[in-house]
Amino acid sequence: MANIHDPALFLAHACALEEDAANRFADLSEAMKTYGNADVAAFFAKMAEFSRLHLADARKRSAFRDVPVLAPEDFQWPDDESPEAASMEGSHYLMTVDYALELALDSEKRGHAFYADVATSTTDPEVRMMAEEFASEEAEHVAELERWIERFPKKG
């Protein structure tokens, strides 16, 4: 459980998480281009752009604060790594559309859970407000990914 009761500390986490999400979606977009699925590549590129917008928002909110520069071990991630830092080891020549979508969905669910946990565990009202807002954005990403997964049911 995250123990984040300071807006600057929350924003340090949000910036890292959103940057990881943007990078992951960009990687997945490139992978789908390589594997010949232009529609899914475009979708992932759009999701990368949304993550970049969230990152820009977090950075804008950070501008007038003394946001700490955290070492990897100083982040309060649930599993010791950013929820959005999805493993790309599956990003090889066998990657399928359904696998890529599931990989993205898992990361977005973990991002949502992180923000929701911060929102319910913090004692700071500003952190709670920001965490609820970011959790809501992640919930929209989860819903969008679930819609795409319905379009590309698993083969087999």
Side-chain angles (χ1 to χ4, degrees):
M1 178 180 286
N3 190 19
I4 300 175
H5 308 290
D6 174 65
L9 182 60
F10 172 78
L11 288 165
H13 282 77
C15 286
L17 193 150
E18 296 302 334
E19 187 169 8
D20 287 343
N23 290 338
R24 179 184 32 77
F25 279 125
D27 289 346
L28 288 169
S29 177
E30 288 304 312
M32 289 296 99
K33 285 179 194 171
T34 299
Y35 306 129
N37 195 313
D39 289 345
V40 178
F43 167 69
F44 282 141
K46 180 179 85 170
M47 295 297 283
E49 184 57 31
F50 287 148
S51 294
R52 284 187 206 97
L53 290 171
H54 295 164
L55 174 59
D57 179 42
R59 285 182 176 156
K60 181 178 174 186
R61 293 176 191 215
S62 300
F64 65 94
R65 300 177 191 273
D66 188 17
V67 175
V69 176
L70 301 176
E73 64 273 10
D74 294 331
F75 283 96
Q76 297 180 35
W77 303 130
D79 297 317
D80 295 327
E81 72 173 353
S82 168
E84 296 271 10
S87 168
M88 289 299 292
E89 58 192 39
S91 163
H92 51 67
Y93 70 96
L94 295 177
M95 180 179 273
T96 61
V97 170
D98 59 296
Y99 179 79
L101 289 166
E102 289 290 341
L103 186 68
L105 178 62
D106 180 61
S107 293
E108 290 300 305
K109 283 182 175 180
R110 287 184 292 131
H112 174 264
F114 172 77
Y115 288 131
D117 176 56
V118 170
T120 59
S121 65
T122 189
T123 57
D124 184 279
E126 186 179 4
V127 171
R128 181 175 300 109
M129 179 202 66
M130 287 189 292
E132 287 173 349
E133 183 180 324
F134 280 67
S136 176
E137 291 170 350
E138 295 300 314
E140 290 173 16
H141 295 173
V142 167
E144 186 70 18
L145 280 158
E146 287 173 339
R147 283 190 288 277
W148 274 78
I149 286 170
E150 287 177 14
R151 291 177 57 185
F152 295 92
K154 287 185 180 179
K155 296 174 183 162

